[in-house]
Amino acid sequence: MKLITNIESAVNTASSGDKIATFHQQILLHAKELSSTGIKARDFFNIATTLDKPAYHTEYNKMMALSNKILIEDCNLCTKMTDLSHDTWYRLKFTRTNASQLKLFETTITQNLLFELAKFSEHCTFKQVKAFEAINERVNGNDIEFFVQQPNGKYLFFPMQAKVLYPSNKYEQIPYKNQNTDLINYASKKKGYPLYLLYNYSPQHTSYQHYGCSIVDAHYMKSIFNSINPTFDDLHVHSSKYIYPVASTWQSLICDSIFSKNNSYTNKIIKKVYNNEKYSLNQDEVMEEGEWKEVTLATSAKRADEDVMTRIEIIKKKEDSDFLNQGESGFDIGFAPKYKIIVSNEIDIVDTHE
């Protein structure tokens, strides 16, 4: 069967230390098709030889059980992140096409994403994603830490800064003061790779709703847009240097960063990050004890009420209307993440074959 051949090919071409991890990711990626066609572990005889691991069929059964659990519960994080991307696109569309031109800030969108991920996590017995909020009050609601656990148990780290696309079709808060440099420096100190998380709606590109939440390499932004505002087209449609878009969908961080045919500039960068050991973090490096609290449905609802009151007080104290047009990016405190998102496989997967 072609699907088995494709999985075998992916495993065969993986480096010796990545074969088990590649096998796991392929099984999760094609779980629905594997289940519907009735393929069993015994069908992967050639892969057993390639992996050189006698208990490979146990690995297969474990991953299929996990995959089936996710499918049955409708707890596929890739699907959820895609849905949230579409939802962000249409929320921005609603605010921009409404007669009163409602404002939707980066912090509001980020809070909504955190709430939806918390709701998703509490619904699913397989806790693939957890969200946390910084206890320290002197933080920036646009700054996010995003961690992805790899099959070997270690984590990849992507510090992100959220920016919204303005009605002008420009990211008017890029560049802004020293934010890009702060983001890059923060990533360098903590063994992460810096990204921009962009919230988009473009009436000129109605079929681009999959880019409602997109990501862009921060190094690229600094080199190309250090003094001018990028447009949606600059990053998602074409660029002066590349035939493919620069931006990638945010779900590509976990769904297709390795095996996707997505040829965007940022996706190619992420593939390199996945294959670079210097970006791997241990679990104790992911959480700083006492500095974070998990976001649950109860805490997110309470925090939303507090943020509304805080916003009212800020607006009362600021008579300068330009403040409202800053997209709440006016706090010059360096990169200070308010939120942490951790994507975990929650099962012990270690490739001991070298």
Side-chain angles (χ1 to χ4, degrees):
M1 185 178 178
K2 186 176 180 180
L3 178 58
I4 294 180
T5 302
N6 290 343
I7 294 176
E8 287 177 353
S9 177
V11 174
N12 283 329
T13 55
S15 61
S16 61
D18 292 333
K19 291 186 183 297
I20 297 294
T22 301
F23 184 54
H24 289 157
Q25 296 212 26
Q26 285 287 304
I27 296 303
L28 287 173
L29 188 65
H30 300 290
K32 191 170 185 179
E33 191 175 354
L34 289 167
S35 297
S36 64
T37 53
I39 295 175
K40 304 296 183 182
R42 62 177 177 270
D43 297 316
F44 288 96
F45 290 120
N46 293 336
I47 291 183
T49 303
T50 302
L51 297 180
D52 190 24
K53 188 168 184 176
Y56 82 97
H57 56 278
T58 302
E59 301 290 327
Y60 173 86
N61 291 333
K62 180 169 60 176
M63 298 310 292
M64 282 303 295
L66 174 61
S67 302
N68 290 333
K69 190 174 185 180
I70 294 173
L71 291 170
I72 291 171
E73 294 182 345
D74 191 25
C75 291
N76 189 311
L77 184 57
C78 295
T79 301
K80 183 63 177 180
M81 291 181 71
T82 302
D83 290 343
L84 290 177
S85 189
H86 292 171
D87 184 64
T88 299
W89 180 275
Y90 289 116
R91 281 174 184 266
L92 281 167
K93 178 181 179 180
F94 174 78
T95 63
R96 302 285 166 80
T97 57
N98 189 287
S100 61
Q101 283 287 297
L102 302 171
K103 291 184 180 295
L104 187 57
F105 297 109
E106 291 103 334
T107 51
T108 305
I109 299 174
T110 302
Q111 287 171 344
N112 179 70
L113 294 177
L114 267 289
F115 172 79
E116 290 296 333
L117 289 175
K119 185 167 66 173
F120 170 84
S121 181
E122 293 194 10
H123 166 70
C124 304
T125 56
F126 172 55
K127 305 295 184 184
Q128 192 176 5
V129 58
K130 292 184 179 181
F132 298 82
E133 183 177 18
I135 296 175
N136 182 4
E137 290 296 326
R138 189 167 174 77
V139 288
N140 186 357
N142 298 352
D143 296 343
I144 306 163
E145 292 188 341
F146 197 99
F147 294 86
V148 183
Q149 189 176 26
Q150 302 173 86
N152 64 5
K154 292 187 177 182
Y155 291 83
L156 297 176
F157 175 35
F158 300 96
M160 299 178 178
Q161 187 163 96
K163 294 292 182 182
V164 69
L165 181 69
Y166 278 61
S168 62
N169 201 44
K170 294 182 179 180
Y171 299 94
E172 296 183 8
Q173 291 298 315
I174 302 176
Y176 182 80
K177 295 186 177 180
N178 296 318
Q179 286 184 342
N180 193 297
T181 300
D182 291 338
L183 171 61
I184 291 173
N185 289 342
Y186 185 91
S188 178
K189 291 177 182 178
K190 299 211 169 188
K191 295 198 300 184
Y193 197 89
L195 299 172
Y196 275 97
L197 175 60
L198 306 177
Y199 302 140
N200 305 301
Y201 165 67
S202 174
Q204 293 81 26
H205 302 286
T206 55
S207 64
Y208 279 56
Q209 63 268 22
H210 55 291
Y211 281 126
C213 297
S214 64
I215 52 175
V216 176
D217 176 17
H219 290 286
Y220 176 89
M221 297 290 265
K222 184 175 183 179
S223 64
I224 305 299
F225 298 105
N226 195 40
S227 59
I228 58 174
N229 303 127
T231 67
F232 180 85
D233 295 51
D234 289 332
L235 303 177
H236 301 84
V237 182
H238 57 76
S239 71
S240 58
K241 294 181 62 177
Y242 305 100
I243 61 174
Y244 296 106
V246 173
S248 185
T249 60
W250 82 317
Q251 58 266 28
S252 68
L253 282 169
I254 64 166
C255 305
D256 57 4
S257 58
I258 296 178
F259 304 108
S260 173
K261 294 180 180 179
N262 180 346
N263 290 313
S264 72
Y265 175 86
T266 297
N267 204 62
K268 289 180 179 179
I269 293 295
I270 291 173
K271 287 181 181 179
K272 292 180 180 178
V273 172
Y274 265 79
N275 292 317
N276 193 329
E277 180 65 25
K278 79 174 187 178
Y279 293 110
S280 293
L281 299 176
N282 296 319
Q283 188 168 5
D284 58 355
E285 296 177 285
V286 174
M287 295 295 297
E288 296 92 343
E289 186 176 356
E291 296 184 10
W292 300 89
K293 61 179 179 181
E294 186 172 358
V295 176
T296 64
L297 295 187
T299 60
S300 59
K302 179 177 182 292
R303 188 61 182 173
D305 291 339
E306 293 173 352
D307 286 338
V308 168
M309 296 306 298
T310 301
R311 186 188 306 280
I312 291 174
E313 290 301 316
I314 291 174
I315 292 174
K316 284 180 180 179
K317 294 177 182 178
K318 285 297 251 183
E319 296 180 353
D320 186 357
S321 62
D322 287 340
F323 175 79
L324 292 177
N325 295 323
Q326 290 180 356
E328 296 187 5
S329 298
F331 302 103
D332 189 17
I333 56 175
F335 187 83
K338 183 174 183 178
Y339 299 112
K340 183 193 298 281
I341 298 172
I342 301 177
V343 179
S344 172
N345 57 38
E346 207 187 37
I347 54 178
D348 184 22
I349 305 173
V350 179
D351 186 359
T352 58
H353 173 66
E354 294 295 336

